[in-house]
Amino acid sequence: MVTRMSQPPEFEAAVRAQAAGRLAEAEALYKDILARVPDHAGALANLAVIARRAGRPSDALAYLTLAARLPDAPGEVFFNLGNLHADRGEPDRAIAALETAIVRAPELGRAHMKLGLLLHDCGRPEASIEALVRAAQLMEPNEPALSAGTAAPRAAALLWSADKWPEAIGLFKAIAAARPEEIAAHLNLGLALVQASHHLDALAAFRRVQTIDPDNSDAAAAIPNCLINTGEQEKAYQAYEAALANPATRAGTLSAYCMAILYDGARSPAEKLQVHRDLTADWRLPDPPARPTRRPGAARSLRIGYVTADFTRAHPVAQFIAPVLKAHAEMGIAQTAYLNAGFVDGTTSRMKDLVRTVNVAGWPDDHLANQIRQDGIDLLIDLSGHTRGNRLAMFAHHPAPVTASMIGYPHSTGFAAIDYLVADKETVPEALSAGCSEAILRLPHSFLCFAPPPGMPVPEGRHPEGPPVFGSLNHLPKLGPETIALWADVLKAVPHARLLLKCGAFSEGPMRERFRDRFAECGIAPGRLIFEEPQAFGEAMGAYERFDIALDPIPYNGGTTTAHALWMGVPVVTLTGGNFCGRMGRSLLAAAGCASTIAGDPDGYVAVATRLAGEVDRLRRDRRALHAAVRTSPLCDVAAYSEALAELYRSVV
């Protein structure tokens, strides 16, 4: 509505009537003004608004066309004209009108937003994001689009998918403030904050959802996840267990709890497996379909299906599986990926170049299972386990003759519908086979293979001066009390050393303080700790140039971080645990030819770290040599790994 112009007295009365919803009265007053002042832009523009609301688009277009011809027509006129053209299915005219609106009124945030959405719909993503960024910067708190409608949430989601996180979060916050009772507004804000690793702020958003709807399943799963990611393990487990006890929230919490207990050093491997078995029993169907029969000759013409949510951003699953997909395609293996992701990005596009991809986000389990049956998949492989976005429950519909789990979840799924777990002799030796619900398929070296993803640097070499620096880029849930105590013992044994910790959670100041306090409780002065915030992938890998020795956490080892450290020429100290996720470090180091830094007990771990710290000058000189050795080791032999994996596939179909 146009309100700010040099006006006759009747115009202000008409504006008041329109704002109060007395549209017939306002329309009559505007027409009286036009009878005396035919070129009154404000009256023309506001009559167009009334006509559009009354379902008279032709009248609205006539009024706006007249108003737009006036030399003093404000930007609001062209904004309304752009909206009208968009309603009429005329995107080019709408874009032109909105661009004029922005020239006339550069601070009109809603014009930038509408333009950005239209540009996206017209296949101009770069220009769209530029406009939406500007909109997020300009939107006023009282903007109507924030308090109602889908435009602002859609704009925020597009900014998010383009990795414009500050602008997206700012817009999500404004929407939530304008819609205090809308569950979706607070959920979207919380999810955006989680992706940005702002878990403390996210926790407040999810608790607001729970205040509005105590049985909301999304909040019930998200709150303990935030607690895990802020280092509050015991509170997280209590929240998970409360959600599991509530029939309204149990289903949405089941997998998240399975994943969370892997970080718990107080539970035995047997207890963790039993929790997985007990909870996944919920997914059993009372009358499940029979499995498809095995296809004759399948081993000679494999059809492999992968189910994942993780072909987005720089997810480790995409990093590890991409070179295998390429190698298997070259072998003639037919492959289909069933992608359970609500958005696509550059990583998704790269993966689609490697494998036929079907986006199944939102598909019911039976629909997805039927699609897999129709595709004639011989072996269906889950790449997500109990991580976010998984479709494990769908496997209860028996969509393929044979099923397996690999790479994405370093533990038994506990689910009876999964036949095999792909591992190796280090992660699941014969003696530990009973600790898995699946039969074990063992690769000859490591359970995964590393090829440098786009943007992965090579080591430059560290400056030869300064005290030893230990480091870790593992994410915060792995930094539990057992890990902190172990690393504190290392720092006590090497009193002149420092410890660099880099992960998303340390973007929040209170989290840095929390972990300074926890190390202080173990006798480590705050000045010996270096906390770093997250960065884009290439810049984050530069952190390996700032420390000498990587420390692996317990009881859940690093996987991707260990592979990255070795590639960057940084030795890794690991402690062998009692299950898959506690033995990943052992597997990766053995495959890389670095078994000398594998420890069997905490004292041995401290001894290895102390020995390496005493050799820091040599380590700094030898970074490129370690990188070269790792690069030519079985850990990075994509061809051999891919062939061995294909042989495992053939052996079970």
Side-chain angles (χ1 to χ4, degrees), residues 562-645:
T562 296
H564 287 170
L566 293 170
W567 178 266
M568 294 299 293
V570 178
V572 182
V573 184
T574 192
L575 174 58
T576 302
N579 60 4
F580 194 137
C581 65
R583 301 173 66 90
M584 288 193 294
R586 181 183 184 91
S587 170
L588 297 171
L589 290 175
C594 299
S596 65
T597 60
I598 300 170
D601 56 45
D603 289 342
Y605 186 102
V606 174
V608 172
T610 304
R611 170 174 60 80
L612 291 175
E615 302 170 0
V616 69
D617 291 340
R618 178 187 63 78
L619 298 180
R620 291 170 180 174
R621 289 194 308 270
D622 290 351
R623 281 196 167 210
R624 292 183 181 178
L626 177 56
H627 164 79
V630 169
R631 189 171 193 163
T632 57
S633 73
L635 180 63
C636 297
D637 191 341
V638 172
Y641 177 92
S642 300
E643 182 57 49
L645 186 61

Side-chain angles (χ1 to χ4, degrees), residues 484-495 497-499 501 515-531:
I484 291 174
L486 181 61
W487 290 356
D489 286 344
V490 169
L491 291 174
K492 291 172 186 174
V494 189
R498 303 180 75 193
L499 174 62
L501 299 174
F515 275 75
R516 285 191 185 98
D517 290 345
R518 290 185 180 179
F519 274 94
E521 290 169 3
C522 293
I524 303 303
R528 299 185 67 189
L529 303 174
I530 306 164
F531 294 98

Side-chain angles (χ1 to χ4, degrees), residues 81-137:
L81 184 58
N83 278 319
L84 191 57
H85 282 307
D87 291 347
R88 291 164 58 91
E90 300 166 346
D92 292 342
R93 290 183 176 181
I95 289 169
L98 291 165
E99 288 174 339
T100 303
I102 289 167
V103 171
R104 298 279 180 105
E107 304 303 308
L108 193 61
R110 56 185 174 274
H112 291 274
M113 179 178 291
K114 184 68 176 182
L115 177 61
L117 295 174
L118 278 172
L119 289 169
H120 173 79
D121 293 342
C122 291
R124 297 168 59 185
E126 292 183 3
S128 166
I129 294 302
E130 183 179 349
L132 293 176
V133 166
R134 189 67 180 134
Q137 295 167 344

